[in-house]
Amino acid sequence: MAEPGLAVRRKSRPGSVGKRSRAPVQPSAVCSPVARKRASSGGEGPPAETPCSNDSEEDMFGDYDSFYGNDSLLAQVDDIEHKYLQDKNTDVRAAGEIVLGNFQSGSHHKKKDNFSTSENVVILKADKEDALQMNENDLVDSSQEPTEFILDDLPSSQLLYFEKMDELSSASRPSSVSERRNKCVNSSSDKIRSPSSFCPDAEHRNRPADFSSDSKCDLFKSESLKDHLKSAMTGNAKAPTLQVSKTKQLKEAVLSEEICVARKTIESSSVDIGPFYGLPSKVKDLFRQFRGIEMLYEWQHECLMLESLQQRKNLIYSLPTSGGKTLVAEIIILQELLCRQKDVLMILPYVAIVQEKVWIQGLSSFGIELGFLVEEYAGSKGRFPPIKRRIKKSLYIATIEKGHALVNSLIETERIDDLGLVAVDELHMLGEGSRGATLEITLAKILYTSKNTQIIGMSATLNNAGDLQKFLQAEYYTSNFRPVELKEYVKIRDTIYAVDSKTENGFTFSRLLNFRYSSNLEKADPDHIIALVTEVIPKYSCLIFCPTKKNCENVALMVCKYLKKEFKAHREKEKQDLVKNLKTIGNGSICPVLKQTIPFGIAYHHSGLTNDERKSIEEAYSAGVLCLLACTATLAAGVNLPARRVILRAPYVANDFLKKNQYKQMIGRAGRAGIDSAGESILIVQEKDKHLVRDLVNSPLENCYSNLLLELTKGMQSLLLSLIGLKIAVTHEEVEDFMRSTLLGVQQQLLSKEKSLSEIIKDGLENLIGKGLLEGRISEKDHNSRCTLTVTPLGKATYKGSIDLAYCNLLYRELKKGLEGLILESNLHLLYLATPYDMTSNCSPDWMIYLRQFNQLSAAEQKVADVVGVPESFITKKASGQAIRKNVDSAVVNRLYLSFVLYTLLKETNIWNVSEKFNMSRGYVQNLLNSAASFASCVLHFCEELEEFWVYKALLTELTKQLTYCVKTELIPLMEVAGVLEARAKQLYNAGYKTLAHLANANPETLVKMIEHLSRRQAKQIVSSAKMLLSEKAEALQEEVEELLKVPTDIPETH
C-alpha cells in the first residue's frame, strides 16, 4: 500500500442547496485537507501543526522557478517514471488522476463573484495540449473494481482527455472495459449537472457559483516541492493507480481554459460553460452593463438552484410584481441557448411587451454579444415555420397568438424537439377569455408532442396553482419577496386607513389628510386627489389608475389646474422638448390636454394615444421628466412603469367592480427597486362601496379556470381542428386522450357538469364536419370508433392562418367572390378583404363623412362598394336620413367604412389627419391599423394553403408590409428596426441614415448629436437592434446558400 497521505484522492463533498448570502464573503484561509489527513494518519513522530494561512507561500513554492527551469532534472524524473512503468508492465486505469500528497501552490485568491459567495479556490485542470504518457496496456483488468471510484473524482477536463485517448487506442482495448469507462464518464457528467455544483455548502461555503463542476480537485498545500516529489514518486510507484507525468501537472490550473474545456466535455443535457450559473462570466457583465444589475436577490439564486431546474423539470414560480421574476427566466433562457444549444420560445401577453423585451430591455443586445438570434413574433411579424438555423440558435419572443402559430408550424415540420424551452410570462392569462384558451392549447400541444421541451411559467398572481401544476406536470416555487416594501391604504373621506387583515374589519386608522381645501377646490376635487399627489410629486413619481379613458384626461387636467406655478420650473427645458417632440409626431398637431398638462409634469396614458405618443410619454416618465400619469388598468398589465405612490381613483374598471387579480397588478406598480425604500398604494373608496372594498382587499386571488368551453370557436373547436390537421390526434379516442392532458381535462369535474368530456368532443367534431373543415364520420353508437378524421383544404387554411372559426367560411366566400372581379386600380378592394371582422361590431359610421369619402373615390373605386354589397343609394339615403327599404348587411357596411379609414391612412400616412377626417380618436385609428396589419398577415397564410387563391399571395404580402409600417416606401427599411417609429424614421432618413446597414454601422454618439430628442440609451438600442436584424437577414441568406450547395443524398447511381 501507499504511504498514508501521499497518493490520496479526496472525494468532493456535495454542496447542499442553500441560500446564497447577499453580503460579500471575505476570502478566508484554507487548511489543506491532505495536510490534515497526514497529520492524523499516524506517520513518523507526533503530528506536526500545519498553519492555516497563506503566509507560507515561500515554503509551499520553494525554489519552484529554478526547479521548473532545470530541464535535466525533469528529464531524470521522466526517465525514472518510464523505467518503472516498463519494469512493472503496469496496466493503467482508463481514467483517474494522481494528486500529489502535500503538493499545492497555495490558495489563489479568486475575485469575489457579485452574484454568489466567494472563497479561495485553486482548480487543478488537465492542459488540453498535455500528452499523457502511458504504455500500451493502459487499462487494468475489468475485474479490478476500484476503477469506478477513481473515475468518480475526475475533473471534467481529465475525463475529456481520457475520452480522446480512448478513441485513439480503442482498437487495442477490451470492449468491456470501454463500456465500464463510459459508464463512469456518464456518472461524472451527471455530477456536472447536479445542483451541488453551483450552490455553496451551508456550513463551509465550499462551492461558489463560479465553479460549477462537483468533480473539481480539492485544495492542497505543500511544505516543499522537492520533498514532495520525492515522497510522491515513491507512493505512486507502489499505488495501483494511473501514473501521470509530474512535469505535466506543473503546467495545470489554468482557469482561463474553463469554458473552452467544458464546452468539449461529454455531451449531456446540460453542459457547464462558465462560472455564472453554468454561463460565461460575460453574461454577468452584460447584465451589469445593460440592466445595471450587480447581484441577484436571494430568492433568485435559490430558485435557479432548485433541483427540479437542474433536472430540467417543468417549473411554475409565483412572486409579487417587481420581485425580479423575469431575470430568473432570462438566465434559464440563456442556459438553454448557450449551454444546451436549443431554440427558445418566450410568450408574452401583449405586442407592446414583446417590443419592450426585444428593444428596451435589450435582449437583441445580448444576442449580438453572445451569438444567438432574437426574432420578434408580434402583430404581422414572424415567419412560419421559422428558418432552420444551422449554427446560431434563435430566441423567439412572441405574443400568445403568434406563439401558437409558431408551435403549430414546428409540429407540422417535425421540428418541435428543436425547441428546448418555452417560458411563459403572466401564466394567469390562462384564465382570461379567448387568449387564455389559445395559451392553453399551445402549452397542451407542447406537452403532448415533445418530451424534451421544458416549460417555465411565471406569474405575480396565482391561487389554484395545484391545477396548473397538474396540467403542466410542473414543480411549484413561490415567495412573498418584494425588493421594496408595499404599504396598502384605503381612503374614505379625508381619513386614510391601513389595510390590516388581522383586525376585525380589515382596516386600521393611519392618519388624516392635512391639505387645506378651499370651497372651490373641494367642489372640483371631492376625492382629495390633489392632496394625495402633492405629497409625492415632483420629487417622486405617482400613478393614478382611473376607470375610463375620459376620466384619465379629466383627472390630469384637474390636477394641473390647481397645482402651484412652481411645479412648472421642475425640469422645464426637458418638458418643453417633450412637447416639441409630440408636435413633430403629430405633424404639427398635439393633443390640447397634453399641451396643457405636460408643463406641470403630468400626462395621461391609455389606448387613445398613438404608438409614437405612448412611447414618448413612457420614456419621459421613466426619465423623471413626467412625475404623474393618469392611466387606465391596461398600464398595470403592460409595460413596467413603477411609481413611489399608486392611487386607485375608484374600485372599478369601466363599470365592473375591481377583481382581486387586477387590484394586485395595479398596486404592484408601487415601489421602485433601488430607488424607493417603500411603495404605497391608496384606494379611494366611497362610503357605499366600503363593504365591497373590505371583501376585495382581504379576499384570496381568483382561481384560474380553463376557457376552452367558454370560447368555442377560438377554444375547443379551434383545438380540435388543429389536432387533426397536425395529425397529433386523428380519431375520437386519440382526441379524448389528448384532452385529458389539457387544463380542461384537469378541471373537467368543475367545468363540464352537464356533459361529459367525450360528449363535448363529439359535438365539437360534428360541428367542424358540418362546417366543411373536417372529413370523416363519428359513429352514433360508439364514440370511441377508430374512424380516422382528416382535415379539408379549407380546414387546413383556417388553422394555419389562425382565422377565427366564426369567420372562416365568410372569408372564403368573400375571397372567392373577389376572384370574379378584383378591382386593382387602387388597394381599396384588397383593404376591404384585410379589414378585421371583429372590429365591425363597435363601429358607428358618421353617414355624412361616409358619403363625403365615397364621393371622393374614383369611379372604379366606387365600384368596390357595389361589388361588396353597399350600393351608393344606400349611403346617400342614410346621409340624408331617408327610409331604406332594401336590406343591407350592417357588418358589411361597417367593414367598408373601416376600409375607407385604412385607405385614407395609407395615402396620407398621418394618424392625426385621418382621425380628424373621420371624427375618431387617434388611438382607435392606431388600433384599427395594428389589427388590420395582423389580420392581413393571417389572410395571407390562409391563401397560401388554397391553390385557387394563388393570385392573392403577392398582393397581400405587399399590403401587409404597408399596413405594418404605414409610412412612405423609403422609410420601411428603417421602420423594421425595433423601436423606430415614423417620426424617428423621418429624422434618421433626413440625417442620411437611409438603410439598415447605415444604422447597424452607425456610431451611437454621432446619432445622439445628429438626431433631436434622442438619448444615448435609445441610440445604442437602435444600433443594437439594427445589427441583430442585419445579422438575422445575413444568416437567412447564408442558410439558403448552403441549402442550394448541399449535395443531395439520393443521386441516382449506375451499378
Side-chain angles (χ1 to χ4, degrees):
M1 281 186 64
E3 281 180 35
L6 291 180
V8 176
R9 181 171 293 100
R10 180 174 176 269
K11 272 190 178 283
S12 302
R13 186 194 308 121
S16 60
V17 178
K19 293 185 180 180
R20 177 188 48 74
S21 168
R22 299 292 305 277
V25 178
Q26 294 300 322
S28 58
V30 181
C31 246
S32 165
V34 177
R36 289 198 297 270
K37 170 127 180 155
R38 246 186 118 190
S40 61
S41 63
E44 298 171 15
E49 246 182 72
T50 310
C52 288
S53 73
N54 292 330
D55 300 329
S56 57
E57 195 171 325
E58 188 181 341
D59 175 50
M60 286 191 294
F61 283 88
D63 52 349
Y64 174 86
D65 290 334
S66 60
F67 176 79
Y68 184 73
N70 189 338
D71 289 337
S72 61
L73 180 55
L74 293 178
Q76 289 171 37
V77 172
D78 272 350
D79 287 342
I80 292 166
E81 288 177 354
H82 284 295
K83 187 173 184 299
Y84 183 80
L85 282 169
Q86 287 160 8
D87 291 345
K88 198 78 177 169
N89 192 21
T90 306
D91 282 349
V92 183
R93 299 187 186 278
E97 61 180 335
I98 293 302
V99 178
L100 306 179
N102 287 335
F103 167 55
Q104 173 56 27
S105 59
S107 297
H108 293 255
H109 290 286
K110 186 174 187 338
K111 189 177 178 183
K112 177 187 174 295
D113 185 306
N114 283 325
F115 292 82
S116 59
T117 52
S118 60
E119 63 177 340
N120 298 332
V121 174
V122 170
I123 297 175
L124 295 180
K125 270 193 186 182
D127 189 315
K128 63 180 178 181
E129 296 174 1
D130 286 358
L132 187 64
Q133 310 204 357
M134 307 164 76
N135 63 7
E136 286 183 349
N137 297 317
D138 286 345
L139 300 170
V140 293
D141 187 83
S142 60
S143 63
Q144 294 182 351
E145 292 300 318
T147 308
E148 292 186 17
F149 297 108
I150 295 163
L151 279 165
D152 280 346
D153 289 331
L154 275 180
S156 56
S157 53
Q158 286 276 30
L159 285 169
L160 173 67
Y161 184 80
F162 286 121
E163 186 177 19
K164 287 180 180 174
M165 291 297 294
D166 188 29
E167 286 167 5
L168 291 171
S169 57
S170 59
S172 63
R173 294 184 179 182
S175 61
S176 62
V177 177
S178 293
E179 285 169 13
R180 193 178 70 237
R181 188 190 139 288
N182 290 336
K183 181 183 171 186
C184 297
V185 166
N186 290 334
S187 73
S188 178
S189 72
D190 288 340
K191 290 186 175 187
I192 295 170
R193 296 195 297 272
S194 73
S196 59
S197 63
F198 296 88
C199 192
D201 184 279
E203 187 181 348
H204 298 287
R205 303 184 186 279
N206 67 324
R207 284 288 180 273
D210 296 60
F211 302 107
S212 52
S213 177
D214 197 23
S215 54
K216 289 184 170 75
C217 296
D218 285 307
L219 303 167
F220 293 102
K221 212 177 183 183
S222 172
E223 302 156 358
S224 156
L225 182 60
K226 292 181 200 171
D227 293 342
H228 172 75
L229 269 178
K230 188 175 177 182
S231 58
M233 280 195 297
T234 310
N236 289 338
K238 296 177 182 178
T241 50
L242 181 67
Q243 307 298 307
V244 183
S245 169
K246 306 308 176 295
T247 57
K248 305 303 179 193
Q249 287 199 342
L250 294 174
K251 297 177 185 176
E252 292 185 345
V254 183
L255 285 174
S256 61
E257 291 183 9
E258 183 181 24
I259 293 172
C260 177
V261 173
R263 271 191 185 278
K264 298 173 187 174
T265 52
I266 311 97
E267 285 189 15
S268 66
S269 63
S270 174
V271 180
D272 171 24
I273 60 167
F276 178 57
Y277 298 98
L279 292 164
S281 54
K282 184 178 183 180
V283 174
K284 182 177 67 177
D285 297 335
L286 291 176
F287 276 117
R288 186 182 293 119
Q289 180 186 337
F290 295 142
R291 307 276 179 80
I293 296 171
E294 290 291 335
M295 60 163 45
L296 266 63
Y297 296 126
E298 192 168 310
W299 83 263
Q300 290 171 326
H301 174 76
E302 189 178 290
C303 187
L304 286 166
M305 300 315 306
L306 289 173
E307 192 175 343
S308 53
L309 271 186
Q310 309 303 321
Q311 295 171 1
R312 298 200 74 242
K313 290 181 181 175
N314 296 343
L315 176 71
I316 298 168
Y317 61 98
S318 172
L319 282 98
T321 303
S322 306
K325 295 182 294 296
T326 307
L327 179 60
V328 170
E330 286 172 349
I331 291 172
I332 297 168
I333 284 168
L334 292 174
Q335 287 172 345
E336 196 68 34
L337 288 163
L338 304 181
C339 302
R340 298 187 183 98
Q341 291 288 300
K342 290 276 191 179
D343 294 330
V344 175
L345 168 62
M346 188 176 201
I347 298 177
L348 302 168
Y350 303 108
V351 174
I353 304 178
V354 169
Q355 291 169 343
E356 181 189 32
K357 185 63 65 182
V358 173
W359 182 55
I360 296 171
Q361 295 190 10
L363 279 180
S364 56
S365 303
F366 279 82
I368 291 162
E369 295 291 334
L370 298 169
F372 62 86
L373 297 170
V374 179
E375 300 183 41
E376 182 183 334
Y377 279 73
S380 61
K381 293 184 179 178
R383 294 181 63 152
F384 305 101
I387 298 169
K388 188 173 175 64
R389 314 284 182 185
R390 290 171 186 270
I391 303 165
K392 290 187 177 180
K393 296 301 164 188
S394 291
L395 168 58
Y396 311 113
I397 302 181
T399 55
I400 291 170
E401 292 76 15
K402 288 291 179 180
H404 179 222
L406 178 66
V407 167
N408 279 350
S409 70
L410 290 172
I411 292 170
E412 187 176 36
T413 52
E414 298 181 348
R415 286 168 51 193
I416 191 66
D417 281 333
D418 290 351
L419 206 57
L421 174 72
V422 175
V424 184
D425 197 7
E426 309 295 352
L427 189 64
H428 64 272
M429 290 283 291
L430 277 167
E432 295 185 17
S434 61
R435 307 195 75 220
T438 306
L439 180 57
E440 180 180 344
I441 291 167
T442 307
L443 295 175
K445 284 177 182 173
I446 293 165
L447 286 163
Y448 197 81
T449 58
S450 174
K451 302 304 174 193
N452 301 319
T453 306
Q454 185 182 17
I455 295 174
I456 304 291
M458 51 190 144
S459 177
T461 55
L462 277 182
N463 193 30
N464 58 332
D467 285 355
L468 301 187
Q469 269 186 273
K470 197 171 177 185
F471 163 45
L472 294 177
Q473 301 152 35
E475 302 287 318
Y476 182 56
Y477 176 90
T478 186
S479 167
N480 291 322
F481 172 81
R482 259 190 131 262
V484 177
E485 183 191 0
L486 174 61
K487 296 173 181 175
E488 290 179 55
Y489 300 98
V490 296
K491 187 193 82 67
I492 303 170
R493 296 196 188 92
D494 60 349
T495 309
I496 292 178
Y497 299 90
V499 173
D500 186 356
S501 56
K502 294 172 187 173
T503 59
E504 190 177 337
N505 67 355
F507 304 134
T508 55
F509 173 81
S510 177
R511 64 189 174 92
L512 287 169
L513 283 175
N514 58 2
F515 190 85
R516 191 171 296 172
Y517 270 72
S518 64
S519 58
N520 285 341
L521 185 52
E522 188 72 47
K523 286 176 189 173
D525 181 24
D527 292 326
H528 309 110
I529 290 170
I530 291 169
L532 294 173
V533 300
T534 50
E535 289 178 345
V536 287
I537 65 168
K539 189 178 179 183
Y540 301 108
S541 57
C542 181
L543 293 174
I544 304 177
F545 285 104
C546 304
T548 65
K549 288 187 279 190
K550 190 64 183 169
N551 195 223
C552 291
E553 295 175 30
N554 291 342
V555 166
L557 279 170
M558 185 271 293
V559 171
C560 76
K561 187 177 178 182
Y562 290 98
L563 283 181
K564 294 176 182 175
K565 302 298 178 196
E566 295 88 85
F567 279 86
K568 282 191 171 185
H570 181 75
R571 302 183 76 162
E572 189 173 8
K573 171 72 170 63
E574 289 156 288
K575 287 187 286 198
Q576 287 170 357
D577 287 345
L578 176 59
V579 171
K580 283 182 194 171
N581 190 29
L582 289 172
K583 273 187 181 174
T584 307
I585 287 167
N587 281 354
S589 303
I590 185 172
C591 169
V593 175
L594 291 175
K595 188 178 180 180
Q596 195 174 332
T597 61
I598 286 173
F600 289 90
I602 299 166
Y604 64 83
H605 184 290
H606 57 57
S607 60
L609 295 167
T610 65
N611 289 348
D612 297 63
E613 287 174 323
R614 190 161 59 245
K615 194 163 286 296
S616 294
I617 286 169
E618 286 168 1
E619 285 168 356
Y621 177 81
S622 297
V625 176
L626 296 176
C627 55
L628 174 65
L629 288 185
C631 52
T632 52
T634 50
L635 184 138
V639 292
N640 186 25
L641 295 175
R644 174 66 172 266
R645 177 176 287 179
V646 168
I647 299 167
L648 278 70
R649 171 78 177 74
Y652 291 90
V653 173
N655 296 320
D656 301 322
F657 194 77
L658 206 58
K659 292 178 182 174
K660 184 61 181 271
N661 287 345
Q662 292 171 322
Y663 171 71
K664 279 288 185 186
Q665 277 201 318
M666 288 181 194
I667 67 170
R669 296 294 178 205
R672 297 163 301 169
I675 301 171
D676 300 327
S677 55
E680 299 173 330
S681 72
I682 301 173
L683 172 56
I684 298 172
V685 183
Q686 306 302 321
E687 196 68 44
K688 65 182 177 69
D689 294 326
K690 190 175 176 180
H691 65 289
L692 289 172
V693 169
R694 186 181 293 118
D695 293 340
L696 171 74
V697 296
N698 294 306
S699 66
L701 296 162
E702 290 86 7
N703 285 338
C704 182
Y705 293 118
S706 170
N707 276 268
L708 286 182
L709 294 183
L710 296 175
E711 301 287 337
L712 270 180
T713 57
K714 288 186 177 179
M716 177 61 85
Q717 289 183 13
S718 172
L719 171 57
L720 295 175
L721 178 64
S722 60
L723 282 182
I724 290 156
L726 294 167
K727 297 183 174 63
I728 296 170
V730 292
T731 66
H732 186 286
E733 189 178 22
E734 288 173 355
V735 170
E736 205 170 318
D737 181 53
F738 177 93
M739 291 304 299
R740 280 193 283 269
S741 66
T742 62
L743 181 58
L744 173 62
V746 172
Q747 298 176 333
Q748 59 178 305
Q749 302 300 322
L750 293 168
L751 303 179
S752 54
K753 291 176 181 174
E754 294 175 10
K755 288 184 178 180
S756 69
L757 194 57
S758 181
E759 289 172 319
I760 292 166
I761 293 167
K762 178 179 174 292
D763 291 347
L765 292 173
E766 285 177 343
N767 191 294
L768 292 171
I769 291 169
K771 284 184 177 179
L773 303 176
L774 291 181
E775 287 174 343
R777 191 172 52 81
I778 301 169
S779 170
E780 289 292 331
K781 295 177 183 177
D782 183 10
H783 293 170
N784 291 330
S785 168
R786 294 295 301 172
C787 177
T788 301
L789 294 159
T790 55
V791 70
T792 64
L794 176 60
K796 187 176 183 183
T798 301
Y799 82 77
K800 290 197 78 171
S802 302
I803 304 293
D804 187 338
L805 269 63
Y807 306 119
C808 62
N809 285 298
L810 177 59
L811 176 64
Y812 178 81
R813 287 196 300 272
E814 292 193 321
L815 288 168
K816 187 83 174 169
K817 191 177 178 183
L819 290 179
E820 295 168 13
L822 191 63
I823 297 163
L824 294 174
E825 184 179 285
S826 71
N827 56 14
L828 178 61
H829 199 167
L830 272 176
L831 277 169
Y832 173 81
L833 295 172
T835 301
Y837 291 103
D838 53 6
M839 289 199 73
T840 58
S841 57
N842 58 0
C843 168
S844 302
D846 182 316
W847 296 107
M848 289 305 295
I849 294 172
Y850 209 145
L851 182 61
R852 192 186 311 132
Q853 291 299 318
F854 181 84
N855 290 332
Q856 288 174 9
L857 299 175
S858 67
E861 288 171 337
Q862 286 182 353
K863 194 180 172 187
V864 173
D866 204 40
V867 168
V868 300
V870 185
E872 182 182 359
S873 59
F874 173 82
I875 301 170
T876 308
K877 285 178 180 177
K878 272 286 192 184
S880 60
Q882 295 178 33
I884 294 162
R885 293 172 191 164
K886 191 178 178 183
N887 194 17
V888 178
D889 187 347
S890 62
V892 174
V893 173
N894 292 357
R895 196 164 178 232
L896 183 64
Y897 186 65
L898 294 177
S899 304
F900 285 178
V901 178
L902 291 169
Y903 179 62
T904 311
L905 193 56
L906 287 188
K907 280 203 299 186
E908 299 189 13
T909 70
N910 186 296
I911 288 175
W912 271 91
N913 293 353
V914 174
S915 64
E916 285 171 12
K917 266 186 186 177
F918 286 87
N919 195 24
M920 292 174 166
S921 78
R922 61 195 186 283
Y924 181 84
V925 175
Q926 177 77 71
N927 188 32
L928 172 64
L929 180 64
N930 294 344
S931 299
S934 186
F935 187 65
S937 171
C938 291
V939 176
L940 171 60
H941 294 304
F942 180 88
C943 292
E944 283 172 345
E945 297 304 317
L946 296 166
E947 203 172 315
E948 61 195 295
F949 293 149
W950 63 271
V951 70
Y952 287 113
K953 293 178 194 174
L955 295 170
L956 286 169
T957 302
E958 191 57 37
L959 184 69
T960 302
K961 192 179 274 190
Q962 286 177 17
L963 288 167
T964 301
Y965 302 114
C966 191
V967 290
K968 290 177 181 173
T969 313
E970 65 265 21
L971 297 180
I972 287 178
L974 302 178
M975 293 285 287
E976 288 181 344
V977 177
V980 174
L981 296 171
E982 185 183 6
R984 185 74 76 213
K986 284 178 181 174
Q987 287 180 311
L988 291 166
Y989 189 86
N990 294 335
Y993 296 95
K994 298 184 178 182
T995 66
L996 194 59
H998 282 142
L999 282 183
N1001 294 287
N1003 183 335
E1005 297 301 326
T1006 310
L1007 279 178
V1008 171
K1009 289 173 188 172
M1010 293 182 72
I1011 308 299
E1012 203 177 2
H1013 311 304
L1014 183 70
S1015 70
R1016 188 168 279 99
R1017 181 177 62 87
Q1018 290 167 330
K1020 285 179 180 175
Q1021 286 165 350
I1022 287 171
V1023 172
S1024 170
S1025 177
K1027 280 181 180 173
M1028 172 58 70
L1029 203 54
L1030 203 61
S1031 166
E1032 200 178 301
K1033 290 190 174 189
E1035 285 279 330
L1037 290 171
Q1038 187 62 40
E1039 299 282 344
E1040 205 174 317
V1041 169
E1042 288 182 16
E1043 194 62 39
L1044 282 170
L1045 296 177
K1046 196 165 78 175
V1047 179
T1049 54
D1050 56 350
I1051 299 172
E1053 291 181 15
T1054 54
H1055 295 286

